[in-house]
Amino acid sequence: MFEVFKKELKELLRDRKTLIFVVALPVAIFPLLFAVMAFISSQAALEAEQEVHTYAIINGSYAQEFTDKVFYHKSFALYKGDETFNTVEELTKAVKAGTIDMGIYLPSDAKQTLDDAKQSEWQVVYNDAKAINFLFDRVKELAKEYGDALRTNKLLSFGVSEEQQAAIIEPIKVVKVDTADKRENLGEKIGGFIPYLLIPLVLMGATYPAIDLGAGEKERGTLETLLLTPITRTQLVLGKFVTLLASSIATTTITVLSMGVWISVAIAFVDLAVVKNAFSSLTVFDLGLIFVLLLPIAAIFSSLALAISIYARTFKEAQNYMAPLSMGVIFPIMIALMPNVELTSKTAFIPVTNVALAIKEIIKGTVDYTLVGLIFLATVIVAGALLAFCVKWFNKEDVLFR
């Protein structure tokens, strides 16, 4: 078995493509993904923040203070074209044609409707299809300021002081006392995405070499030579399995170390309070715990990938079979991101999902070590069962020589 392991390991180390997938990609993936995501999101938010929108307002004189607020707001520019607008339909048509970005329709004098004990309903016409769109929120905020001022002045005219108004308008004020610290709060929001990066990389560390160790041997015609050597088929498949496991563990190690190094770099050199608050409490022990949880996952992926590769006739066929495996891994990770799905004694037995949930809890700093033990035990049992299946699979003539 050891001789098979040495032989397969040498071949893997000679393959540049394998080294790229196993070593270079995990090292580069974290800074690259985080940098690209941060750059794109910050640029999109900055552009949306700085964008100036053309607007038209109908009956602006009914609420002159509000009209002035919109006019002097940095995000809005009054339409100065030749077209005139008198109805909501005309505003809608202009927005659809791109003549203006937004239309505001004031149907009546807000002060007069307040005196008449009626509510004035204003309409904001705009295209809400953009993912980042602050138009409605900004207008609503300005309208609220104007409406609050009207209400305050009206109640003052009735002899109701501002303190009394606060008590009348909001008789019960609910104050939030958050028991979660900053790490737990931010870990809940971003901790679920870490398994999205880690677990697929562990899978990649096993699948790519597995294709060559199984289907590749068949395609090159070297599998028969191996079967003629004086070692049992069980030793042969175990040697290949250990090679894949070593490759996957190498990817896991490099990935976790890469994550730790780049988080340290971000904390030390990047002036981002969010990053510092989220990861400043993450210790070497936490990273080690994540690494330990990923080890049996690596064994599961190695067994599955080897079984698939042994079954495939050619390199290309093995690649086609590996694609559904990748999809099958993403699905249990998505379950861990769903609301109210937490790490419990039940979810601790769901493969892959349990590790994803545990990683999230580790990032949050709220992990239950008893459940971590259960996860490790459950994952080792699954890995052992799959390895036994892989050995039995490799001993079937109709699988080896399809």
Side-chain angles (χ1 to χ4, degrees):
M1 186 186 83
F2 184 66
E3 293 301 322
V4 175
F5 169 68
K6 281 202 304 182
K7 171 251 179 194
E8 301 293 2
L9 194 59
K10 281 181 182 177
E11 289 186 2
L12 284 183
L13 292 175
R14 288 171 184 163
D15 187 358
R16 289 184 181 177
K17 290 181 181 176
T18 302
L19 291 178
I20 289 173
F21 277 96
V22 175
V23 179
L25 198 59
V27 172
I29 194 73
F30 275 105
L32 189 65
L33 285 178
F34 279 124
V36 170
M37 287 171 60
F39 177 76
I40 292 175
S41 58
S42 63
Q43 285 297 310
L46 187 63
E47 287 177 9
E49 181 72 27
Q50 293 179 342
E51 188 175 0
V52 177
H53 300 279
T54 307
Y55 77 97
I57 187 167
I58 299 175
N59 300 327
S61 58
Y62 287 164
Q64 193 57 50
E65 293 173 23
F66 166 77
T67 305
D68 292 341
K69 282 177 180 288
V70 176
F71 181 79
Y72 290 111
H73 197 284
K74 63 179 181 180
S75 299
F76 301 124
L78 184 63
Y79 172 68
K80 295 179 181 176
D82 298 330
E83 292 188 39
T84 56
F85 310 103
N86 298 302
T87 64
V88 174
E89 288 72 22
E90 290 177 355
L91 289 175
T92 304
K93 189 177 178 181
V95 170
K96 286 184 176 179
T99 308
I100 57 175
D101 296 319
M102 178 183 68
I104 304 173
Y105 181 76
L106 312 185
S108 58
D109 189 338
K111 290 181 181 177
Q112 186 58 48
T113 55
L114 183 60
D115 292 337
D116 297 339
K118 294 179 180 176
Q119 188 179 49
S120 180
E121 183 177 295
W122 298 359
Q123 298 182 58
V124 181
V125 182
Y126 70 107
N127 187 339
D128 195 27
K130 292 183 179 178
I132 301 176
N133 201 333
F134 304 123
L135 276 175
F136 184 75
D137 290 339
R138 283 170 179 158
V139 174
K140 190 177 179 182
E141 184 181 346
L142 295 176
K144 184 177 182 304
E145 289 177 11
Y146 177 70
D148 288 346
L150 285 182
R151 183 185 59 211
T152 300
N153 291 333
K154 176 59 69 178
L155 290 174
L156 284 173
S157 69
F158 292 154
V160 182
S161 67
E162 292 191 9
E163 290 78 11
Q164 290 170 324
Q165 290 182 33
I168 293 170
I169 294 168
E170 192 178 10
I172 298 174
K173 186 176 182 180
V174 180
V175 179
K176 181 175 71 174
V177 180
D178 191 1
T179 58
D181 57 22
K182 290 180 180 177
R183 175 179 173 179
E184 184 179 351
N185 204 341
L186 289 169
E188 176 65 29
K189 294 179 176 66
I190 65 175
F193 292 98
I194 301 297
Y196 253 119
L197 300 174
L198 289 176
I199 296 177
L201 282 173
V202 175
L203 175 66
M204 189 183 298
T207 54
Y208 191 79
I211 295 173
D212 188 64
L213 266 60
E217 295 269 19
K218 280 186 179 180
E219 202 166 7
R220 292 192 298 272
T222 53
L223 183 61
E224 289 81 356
T225 309
L226 276 176
L227 292 172
L228 291 174
T229 55
I231 56 174
T232 65
R233 290 191 181 184
T234 302
Q235 289 175 322
L236 189 59
V237 73
L238 286 177
K240 289 180 178 293
F241 167 78
V242 173
T243 307
L244 291 182
L245 186 62
S247 170
S248 188
I249 289 174
T251 308
T252 307
T253 308
I254 294 167
T255 302
V256 175
L257 288 176
S258 171
M259 185 176 75
V261 169
W262 286 110
I263 286 173
S264 302
V265 170
I267 291 173
F269 297 104
V270 180
D271 189 20
L272 286 176
V274 174
V275 175
K276 289 183 178 180
N277 289 333
F279 295 111
S280 58
S281 303
L282 202 64
T283 63
V284 175
F285 177 75
D286 294 327
L287 292 174
L289 199 57
I290 292 173
F291 174 76
V292 169
L293 284 171
L294 290 174
L295 289 180
I297 285 285
I300 289 175
F301 292 160
S302 299
S303 301
L304 283 173
L306 186 57
I308 291 172
S309 182
I310 290 168
Y311 180 75
R313 293 190 185 91
T314 61
F315 202 92
K316 188 176 181 180
E317 189 178 333
Q319 284 181 318
N320 293 334
Y321 291 151
M322 293 294 179
L325 179 61
S326 303
M327 295 296 295
V329 169
I330 293 296
F331 181 71
I333 301 175
M334 289 173 62
I335 293 176
L337 280 175
M338 291 180 180
N340 297 327
V341 177
E342 297 178 349
L343 183 59
T344 63
S345 56
K346 292 181 179 176
T347 55
F349 288 95
I350 304 174
V352 182
T353 300
N354 52 9
V355 174
L357 286 170
I359 291 174
K360 188 167 78 171
E361 293 293 328
I362 291 169
I363 301 291
K364 287 166 60 180
T366 57
V367 67
D368 185 336
Y369 295 107
T370 306
L371 293 177
V372 170
L374 278 179
I375 292 170
F376 191 80
L377 179 65
T379 317
V380 166
I381 291 172
V382 174
L386 287 171
L387 179 58
F389 168 77
C390 193
V391 172
K392 190 176 180 181
W393 195 241
F394 196 81
N395 280 285
K396 289 189 172 184
E397 296 287 334
D398 55 343
V399 172
L400 286 178
F401 304 105
R402 287 176 65 230

